[in-house]
Amino acid sequence: MRIPIPESWKFDPPHTLVAGDGPHAAVLAQILDAEMMDWESLSAGPQAEEATRYSRVLNDLSRVFIVGGATRSTADFLECHEAIWNWIAKLAPGGTQHDVAMIFVLPESASRDCGEALAIGLGIPVGELVKSGHGVVRMTEGLGAMLETSTRVVARDRVRYLARKKSDNRHAALANLRETLSNSEPDAGIEAARQILEAFADHEHHLDLFCTSPNHRNGNRIRTVLHHLVTKPVTPMEWEAFQHEIPALLRSLETAHAL
Amino acid sequence: MKTVRLLIVEDDPELQPRLKRIYREVFASHGYSSIIIETACHVDEARDLAKQAASHPFDLVSLDVNLGDAELSGLDVLATFKRFQSAWMVALLTGVETDTTLDAVMGEEKGERIRKQLRREAYQKFSAERLIVVEKPSPSLSSEQADALLRNRVEQIALVYGEVGRLRYIFRPIEVISLERIKTTKELKNKKLPKKFIETTALHWQIRFNCGDIRTLPDKAGFKTLHHLLGLDRSKSLRPEDAIILEPKGDSVIAPPSGKAGIDPVAEYFITRGIPWNEMTQIAQDQLIQVALSHLFKRYCELRELEDEDDLSPDEDDELVKIRKDLGPLEPFAETGYNRLCDNDHAESSISHSEAAQEGMHEAGSGYDKDEGRKGFDSTDAQAFRARMKRVKECLRENGFSAFADHLDGHVSSTGANWSYNPPNGVEWTVF
């Protein structure tokens, strides 16, 4: 169910948004005098006020902190990131061209390569995260570091980010598989699966980032399916089953094609 | 003084200064005395400028398609100009048109398909009537030949710009998130600021043509009309803080006292609706009666006739009750008033036919079959303007701005070919 646009946003449009729940997010929102919204509400998307019309209340939004607790996986962070863009696209006059800085605030328990995994999920080289509008910081680093990171991040719109995704080989391979599943014969699908395995060579666990929840279980399943496609003969019945199963396992991949 | 503000988006460091010089020379030869030229050489730089120019659009953008960016092209920049409505006209410079290697490598048919595809995409991303696609000189040409070709193309652009610009009187983006009204000075002093918001869609373009018609896209709530009528700074967009309406200080003009003894019922009718009747000239009063009451009187008479014949439907009955309530003290005069207005329509009145037509007293094509847009004939744009004004006023009334809507009713009028807003002394619109 979609979420009504908070009334307070209409009177006092937010400059900073803290996406998350829990004490850390609440304190951060209070310190920054920011609006706060939990991940579930963000995922639900904004409710249109009249047919497809939305109040353009996010015109001033320039910074978003995505704060996740210990139970949140990297894939969850990526999903929240997508959900926030959905809100911005609908509620900012600039739509997908609205400039905003996104700062991921990772929990203490996040693995060491979580930043790298986020960059892979976003389709941006780790070194270019900051100039492409993204920052990564850990809760343990303290408020000073968090604010310092947020000021370094260059606010960017979604157009550049989607164009990056489009040229990223992992995203391109996954998008190609989706396309072949919908309108091609098994041979094309097998080739697409081979491309994906090549793109994720040695880092197949990163496929979890592109899977629907539960990410790891679905990631395991998609790895099995891809290996099956590449290494074993595929019967027409199996192909038909994969055509239905794979899209359900993968998160929707919005790329510049969708603009 | 003719002015033009240009943006040249070109990544070639050799070509950019040449283009700048040629644009300056050509536009100067076309009589532009003030030519402001800005430049950008990267996609991101151009897109940032496009976003910043939302409230002060460029008159003309010269945009290269291939900007040396692996991910985005000039077409993406074009989309940003469209989204933020920050360019009046765009000249898209493309090398694809003259790239003979394209035909050699891909074949003539495929090369042509790519060119068509480029044009199609460009026209999808920007308004076709304000976009011109021109070819860049081929790299194989000598610098003299290339300069001559560029000059020729810029001449072509300047001519089109002049033609398209002729239609433009005002063209600016208006961003209206909400309008905030501060009711009275007293409330201001008490710091009780009632916040009443009218939400609208984000951006509108307002175009006022030389003929006096106003057109705005997208045409939804129509607040651009207000923007124009309030006479706000043309270079500024209408933001909530720009649209704070201060009602007159001291003696109230918008909300004068009602029910004074001995007052004329017609005057009372208008005064209670916030129209400064006593300050208006006789002609303006007649015009106001004609505009505001003719329809009401006519409908009242029709319904009364049906009522006399006991032939009123329940809906009509409700309508009559509503009209009676609306007319109030004027009801006894409705029939005579209607007859008088009918007579005025047929006889020579103090209002000329052209003025009458502009004021909307005649329906389009109702016997005044003179030149369109001139005498006695409502152009479609004039009709659209009135319809839009009506919607604006309805919206204002629905949102508690009825005094303001009535005020517009009384003070928006046509002056020959143009629409004008003439507020009485003491009414103040502030722009911060």
Side-chain angles (χ1 to χ4, degrees):
Chain A
M1 199 178 134
R2 293 188 179 277
I3 303 297
I5 298 162
E7 279 298 312
S8 60
W9 291 12
K10 295 176 190 170
F11 295 97
D12 190 11
H15 289 78
T16 306
L17 177 69
V18 174
D21 36 30
H24 197 98
V27 168
L28 187 61
Q30 205 170 10
I31 291 170
L32 298 173
D33 191 21
E35 288 291 323
M36 186 175 154
M37 188 172 268
D38 61 81
W39 286 25
E40 282 67 31
S41 302
L42 284 166
S43 302
Q47 189 179 51
E49 298 199 308
E50 187 187 295
T52 55
R53 198 170 70 81
Y54 296 89
S55 288
R56 306 298 184 137
V57 290
L58 293 187
N59 191 32
D60 296 338
L61 186 70
S62 59
R63 280 192 305 180
V64 179
F65 289 86
I66 306 174
V67 186
T71 54
R72 304 290 185 181
S73 67
T74 313
D76 290 337
F77 272 92
L78 291 168
E79 255 178 62
C80 183
H81 176 264
E82 290 291 321
I84 291 164
W85 268 115
N86 180 29
W87 279 73
I88 294 172
K90 285 175 178 154
L91 304 185
T96 53
Q97 307 202 38
H98 181 83
D99 287 326
V100 71
M102 299 265 194
I103 296 100
F104 294 95
V105 184
L106 306 178
E108 286 176 51
S109 56
S111 62
R112 229 185 252 175
D113 68 345
C114 191
E116 189 195 345
L118 275 171
I120 289 170
L122 294 168
I124 302 166
V126 181
E128 289 184 28
L129 273 177
V130 168
K131 66 176 179 186
S132 66
H134 300 89
V136 182
V137 66
R138 282 168 188 274
M139 282 181 190
T140 47
E141 287 177 42
L143 186 68
M146 204 179 293
L147 296 180
E148 197 267 328
T149 305
S150 84
T151 49
R152 272 194 300 120
V153 175
V154 182
R156 280 275 161 240
D157 65 17
R158 196 176 166 81
V159 174
R160 170 63 77 183
Y161 158 60
L162 291 185
R164 280 273 157 83
K165 258 185 165 184
K166 190 185 166 190
S167 58
D168 175 60
N169 62 342
R170 295 183 188 89
H171 282 85
L174 285 164
N176 184 34
L177 177 66
R178 268 185 181 279
E179 208 175 309
T180 53
L181 286 169
S182 59
N183 54 16
S184 295
E185 293 299 307
D187 287 350
I190 291 164
E191 181 51 35
R194 185 175 289 115
Q195 281 174 14
I196 292 175
L197 291 176
E198 272 174 26
F200 285 87
D202 301 330
H203 297 284
E204 280 184 18
H205 61 283
H206 283 146
L207 269 167
D208 293 358
L209 301 169
F210 300 87
C211 289
T212 50
S213 191
N215 322 101
H216 186 58
R217 200 169 70 194
N218 287 342
N220 281 338
R221 176 63 192 150
I222 205 156
R223 279 185 283 275
T224 310
V225 171
L226 292 174
H227 281 288
H228 182 114
L229 277 169
V230 174
T231 56
K232 293 177 187 166
V234 182
T235 64
M237 272 181 69
E238 281 174 329
W239 174 243
E240 201 178 316
F242 291 154
Q243 280 182 306
H244 290 102
E245 189 183 4
I246 295 174
L249 295 172
L250 289 171
R251 276 196 298 123
S252 69
L253 293 170
E254 198 181 354
T255 63
H257 294 297
L259 283 177
Chain B
M1 189 171 77
K2 278 167 88 178
T3 62
V4 62
R5 183 166 166 250
L6 276 152
L7 173 67
I8 297 173
V9 185
E10 174 59 64
D11 64 321
D12 185 339
E14 283 181 19
L15 186 56
Q16 198 192 71
R18 273 160 64 201
L19 264 176
K20 200 172 168 181
R21 176 174 48 82
I22 293 170
Y23 268 108
R24 193 175 290 283
E25 286 169 6
V26 169
F27 273 84
S29 72
H30 281 254
Y32 291 86
S33 51
S34 168
I35 304 161
I36 300 160
I37 302 183
E38 292 175 45
T39 53
C41 50
H42 304 296
V43 169
D44 287 336
E45 193 185 357
R47 293 183 69 235
D48 285 345
L49 283 172
K51 288 173 188 176
Q52 287 161 18
S55 57
H56 186 28
F58 289 101
D59 295 312
L60 174 64
V61 176
S62 172
L63 179 61
D64 185 18
V65 176
N66 184 359
L67 290 165
D69 189 297
E71 290 151 0
L72 300 176
S73 72
L75 294 180
D76 295 291
V77 181
L78 193 62
T80 307
F81 275 110
K82 186 184 180 186
R83 179 82 201 195
F84 288 87
Q85 301 181 328
S86 42
W88 158 249
M89 189 180 144
V90 175
L92 198 65
L93 271 66
T94 162
V96 177
E97 298 288 327
T98 48
D99 192 354
T100 48
T101 53
L102 191 72
D103 292 334
V105 175
M106 308 191 85
E108 210 166 295
E109 198 181 321
K110 204 162 184 186
E112 190 54 34
R113 208 180 308 146
I114 288 173
R115 288 185 190 101
K116 277 186 182 165
Q117 175 71 16
L118 175 84
R119 281 171 183 265
R120 200 178 307 125
E121 277 185 34
Y123 287 123
Q124 276 170 1
K125 287 182 194 283
F126 201 83
S127 176
E129 65 269 26
R130 291 182 287 112
L131 175 68
I132 175 171
V133 182
V134 292
E135 60 184 283
K136 271 170 86 173
S138 162
S140 59
L141 293 176
S142 67
S143 64
E144 289 79 20
Q145 285 173 318
D147 264 10
L149 187 74
L150 264 183
R151 187 174 292 278
N152 178 287
R153 296 294 172 256
V154 174
E155 279 282 355
Q156 193 186 333
I157 291 165
L159 281 174
V160 174
Y161 175 78
E163 282 301 310
V164 176
R166 222 167 265 184
L167 293 174
R168 183 176 68 154
Y169 182 68
I170 300 169
F171 191 81
R172 62 172 181 259
I174 310 160
E175 186 183 345
V176 183
I177 297 170
S178 59
L179 287 175
E180 183 181 355
R181 188 179 73 146
I182 297 174
K183 273 184 182 169
T184 60
T185 356
K186 194 181 169 190
E187 279 168 337
L188 264 174
K189 278 179 188 166
N190 294 339
K191 295 193 175 173
K192 285 179 189 171
L193 307 180
K195 284 190 173 179
K196 188 83 185 174
F197 285 86
I198 302 173
E199 286 155 24
T200 71
T201 50
L203 281 160
H204 302 276
W205 274 111
Q206 180 185 55
I207 314 165
R208 179 172 164 178
F209 293 94
N210 281 349
C211 59
D213 292 322
I214 294 176
R215 188 175 294 164
T216 301
L217 299 171
D219 184 8
K220 287 186 179 172
F223 284 103
K224 65 289 159 180
T225 314
L226 294 182
H227 189 273
H228 163 67
L229 293 174
L230 301 184
L232 295 176
D233 183 354
R234 288 179 193 176
S235 64
K236 289 180 76 174
S237 64
L238 181 62
R239 295 167 303 179
E241 60 268 35
D242 292 336
I244 291 176
I245 299 157
L246 287 183
E247 290 184 357
K249 293 167 190 170
D251 294 338
S252 176
V253 178
I254 290 184
S258 60
K260 278 185 181 173
I263 201 162
D264 171 60
V266 177
E268 190 186 0
Y269 175 86
F270 286 111
I271 287 169
T272 53
R273 280 159 181 76
I275 313 291
W277 177 263
N278 296 331
E279 293 177 23
M280 294 168 74
T281 62
Q282 183 65 44
I283 292 172
Q285 286 178 350
D286 286 346
Q287 285 181 337
L288 188 58
I289 291 172
Q290 193 94 27
V291 172
L293 297 178
S294 59
H295 173 72
L296 212 56
F297 283 358
K298 185 182 172 199
R299 189 66 186 142
Y300 174 83
C301 292
E302 286 169 356
L303 292 171
R304 278 282 296 118
E305 210 169 295
L306 289 171
E307 189 184 44
D308 288 342
E309 290 164 16
D310 210 11
D311 204 14
L312 271 180
S313 70
D315 284 350
E316 285 167 337
D317 197 20
D318 288 346
E319 193 186 347
L320 184 59
V321 170
K322 194 171 165 288
I323 291 177
R324 278 191 164 128
K325 197 178 163 193
D326 196 16
L327 285 173
L330 269 187
E331 192 191 337
F333 305 94
E335 283 187 25
T336 48
Y338 177 55
N339 292 335
R340 205 184 74 177
L341 290 168
C342 287
D343 290 342
N344 280 353
D345 264 357
H346 296 297
E348 280 294 317
S349 71
S350 59
I351 307 162
S352 73
H353 285 318
S354 63
E355 282 171 322
Q358 288 284 347
E359 285 289 357
M361 295 175 197
H362 306 295
E363 295 302 319
S366 59
Y368 291 88
D369 50 354
K370 297 182 182 175
D371 294 345
E372 187 169 343
R374 291 181 71 82
K375 287 182 178 177
F377 190 98
D378 282 342
S379 71
T380 50
D381 288 325
Q383 291 174 50
F385 176 84
R386 272 203 312 281
R388 195 176 304 126
M389 277 298 291
K390 192 173 163 228
R391 280 201 299 280
V392 167
K393 283 181 278 190
E394 278 169 6
C395 189
L396 286 168
R397 288 196 171 97
E398 280 166 15
N399 286 278
F401 287 79
S402 50
F404 180 33
D406 292 339
H407 175 75
L408 290 176
D409 254 335
H411 301 291
V412 176
S413 57
S414 72
T415 52
N418 292 307
W419 298 93
S420 69
Y421 166 67
N422 304 301
N425 293 334
V427 173
E428 206 176 36
W429 305 101
T430 57
V431 182
F432 294 96

